[in-house]
Amino acid sequence: MRNRNCGNPIVCRCEEVREKAIVEAIRNGAHDVDAVRRVLRAGMGLCQGKTCGPLIARLIARETGKSMPVLLPARARPPVRPVKIRVLSEK
Amino acid sequence: MEKKVEVLIVGAGPAGLSAAIEVARGGARVLVVDENGVAGGQLFKQIHRFFGSRDHSAGVRGFEIGTRLLRECENAGVEIMLNSVVWGLFPDMTAGVVFFNKHNVAVRAERIILSCGASENTLNFPGWTLPGVMGAGAAQTMMNIHRVLPGKEAIMVGSGNVGLIVGYQLIQAGCQVKAVLEILPEVGGYKVHANKLARLGVEILTSWTVVEARGREKVEEVVISRVDSKLQPMAGSKRTISADLVCMAVGLSPLAELAWMAGCRFGYFPLLGGFVPLHGANLETTLPGIYVAGDISGIEEASTAMEEGKLAAVSVLESLKRISPAEAAGRRKVISQSLVSLRRGPYGDFRQKEKERIFREFEKVKEGSGGYH
């Protein structure tokens, strides 16, 4: 029994972004969590990066040698929780 | 739609409820908003007895404390809105709240206490998205709230108190715990919890971690490995264990998005969970009128969360001139002493030091610049 994609696990499960894609984005210059989000949508799903944010920060730290305090979480934007657009647009 | 409240509290866990009771008793109008269907935060899944002194409800089980807090809320006239989500917090002290998945309301508050709690950290080893891999807190919710056994054979990853306590409760619920893995050379949680597991014959493997979960539709087996001094898996040390449940108890992070969005300044305090909104000893953040209490202000325990809730409430009441500065100082002193006593000993000293470091960073930011935002 073995996993497919064993060397390339999912990092952001909401948007189904895998580790290799993130590492490639980092090597192409996405050196903070926000940049990775902009390139790949990682952290833009239902949980808004609560699960994958720290994992992505760790990958950036590993690839770039930046230390954790410098790696801020992705910019928090409203809505931080899944909310229906219909509800927000009602007067 | 708009609504004005005197005090808005985000999160109805131990910190939020304790704050709400004190604020309401002080005569201020308070609204508590929580996204869950039940108030009490994590208390209602905590079936173990609390530690500490009698003043801190030692010997009482978490859900009993939750019941008591809810009764006190009712007596004090606290308004709690459940199934209601705060989706944004803006610098003019307005919160975007969707009540009952239906009504979007701009809630304007004179004071805000953020007691949003924390979220569980995770590890992304191959197979971690298979059904059967979950946070230890999630497993505890399934067992103790929904009465659903999350698996029959479990591997617990992490030997902090969450891992040890949930591991023990899995056994109580009828699950076999095959091993508790700890990546560090030492067990993280209280000895008394570790001993309970050891007495039942559960192996606690230090310097071991999970490297893979395998299965067709769900977890069927788990690969674990010994780690070297750099915490990297060592070649040739892998073991495969049959299991259908992997619980991750690898720490918590403060749920602080609302504080980030509002513009609070942050510091990085890895021993307290990472980025924490800087706050003074009275729990006010760098934004006047916004306070923090409980895990959002640094990961600790329910007992400290409740004391912090009271402390934030005293600061709020003082700033609203509901109590005199002298009364506030007196009450603050009692609560602060209580907090100091909770942050003592081998599992408390570092928290006391880190909290003091937060207060110092806060003062620096108040005087000039610094802090992340």
Side-chain angles (χ1 to χ4, degrees), chain A residues 2 9-10 21 44 48 50 56 66 81-83:
Chain A
R2 50 181 309 222
I10 283 183
M44 289 179 81
Q48 286 291 294
K50 263 195 286 299
I56 293 171
K66 282 189 180 183
R81 286 285 188 279
V83 175

Side-chain angles (χ1 to χ4, degrees), chain A residues 18-29 36 40 59 62-63:
Chain A
R18 290 183 182 273
E19 185 170 312
K20 274 187 183 160
I22 293 173
V23 169
E24 192 189 325
I26 297 166
R27 290 181 182 163
N28 286 332
V36 171
L40 296 169
L59 287 173
R62 190 186 79 191
E63 291 296 317

Side-chain angles (χ1 to χ4, degrees), chain B residues 12-13 17 34-42 44 70 80 82-83 145-146:
Chain B
L17 293 179
D34 194 294
E35 63 185 335
N36 297 292
V38 184
Q42 309 307 306
F44 283 98
L70 287 182
I80 305 177
L82 299 170
N83 296 308
I145 305 279
H146 302 296

